[in-house]
Amino acid sequence: MTEPLVIEDLVRRYSPEVTALAGISLAFAAGSTTAIVGPSGSGKSTLLGLIAGLDRPDGGRVLIEGRDLAVLSERERSKLRAQRLGFVFQSYRLMPTLTALENVALAAELAGFDQPDERARTWLARVGLAERVGHLPALLSGGEQQRVAVARALVAGPALILADEPTGNLDSKTGAAITDLLLELTRDGNTTLIIVTHDEALAGRMARIVRLADGRVVADGAP
């Protein structure tokens, strides 16, 4: 089976003096959980943007389910993101004028599902928000907003979930609950989970930790 994500000799330079990634190669198995950690400026965010196809590398390539992002058109990359990638952000990034149901249903619609509202209701129920589907984000707690974001990320049944500091705006108890939820739901769907985090406790709950420094992998293994 094709691995959901393979990174080969990835290089990204912002200027001749600034190299964000200096030749990173990694492979991620289906259903695996990985934390990407490292100090600020180590290349974590750059790596996430390249995996998502939001930026282009100066060298190397990113393969998602065997497809090289570099040879896809912008339209093809957008379709791939909608159907095969899910995103969870620290700041939730929900549409403020849309209800919880509408936020999740929009992701399902963009992925091509015929009954996006029904699918969204199912996923909101799975994250424990069946009674909050009609609420705008401003009427939800931080933990509830992040649960909506998790439902939105998983509603299309993606191969890969990218989470950027997903518990950074939450208290420790709520953050642990969101981590439990992500691990449970990605395990159920055999989805590959990659989390970028500064939180060593969160990183320690993943099966693998990749440490970056100065744009290079300096450690890669179990917690």
Side-chain angles (χ1 to χ4, degrees):
M1 184 174 67
T2 301
E3 288 176 303
L5 176 62
V6 176
I7 299 164
E8 298 178 346
D9 295 320
L10 209 57
V11 175
R12 183 68 175 100
R13 300 184 187 93
Y14 292 122
S15 73
E17 296 80 23
V18 180
T19 298
L21 296 177
I24 286 180
S25 295
L26 296 165
F28 300 84
S32 62
T33 62
T34 303
I36 308 291
V37 303
S40 296
S42 60
K44 302 186 302 299
S45 296
T46 298
L47 179 59
L48 212 63
L50 291 171
I51 291 171
L54 300 172
D55 190 13
R56 290 180 179 269
D58 295 298
R61 59 181 187 163
V62 176
L63 302 171
I64 294 180
E65 297 184 316
R67 303 181 69 186
D68 185 351
L69 294 186
V71 303
L72 301 181
S73 67
E74 181 53 45
R75 183 175 181 179
E76 289 171 328
R77 287 198 301 274
S78 295
K79 183 177 180 181
L80 183 66
R81 279 193 294 269
Q83 295 180 341
R84 305 307 294 149
L85 272 67
F87 300 87
V88 182
F89 301 97
Q90 177 178 346
S91 56
Y92 322 134
R93 295 197 187 179
L94 302 177
M95 298 290 286
T97 59
L98 300 183
T99 65
L101 178 66
E102 290 166 341
N103 266 282
V104 180
L106 178 60
E109 184 177 352
L110 291 173
F113 287 95
D114 292 333
Q115 297 179 307
D117 283 9
E118 181 177 331
R119 191 169 179 88
R121 285 184 187 278
T122 297
W123 273 98
L124 285 166
R126 290 192 69 180
V127 302
L129 293 177
E131 305 303 318
R132 309 285 274 173
V133 297
H135 287 66
L136 294 172
L139 300 177
L140 301 173
S141 69
E144 288 172 334
Q145 289 185 65
Q146 196 61 298
R147 285 175 179 268
V148 175
V150 170
R152 180 183 58 186
L154 287 160
V155 70
L160 180 63
I161 292 290
L162 304 176
D164 189 4
E165 299 284 1
T167 62
N169 281 341
L170 305 173
D171 62 75
S172 58
K173 181 178 179 181
T174 305
I178 291 296
T179 304
D180 289 342
L181 183 64
L182 271 170
L183 290 171
E184 175 190 347
L185 294 177
T186 53
R187 183 170 55 244
D188 288 350
N190 199 34
T191 302
T192 300
L193 174 63
I194 300 174
I195 289 180
V196 167
T197 185
H198 286 94
D199 185 341
E200 290 289 341
L202 171 57
R205 299 194 60 188
M206 304 299 114
R208 175 187 183 189
I209 298 179
V210 174
R211 295 188 182 276
L212 302 185
D214 299 322
R216 301 179 186 276
V217 176
V218 295
D220 182 359

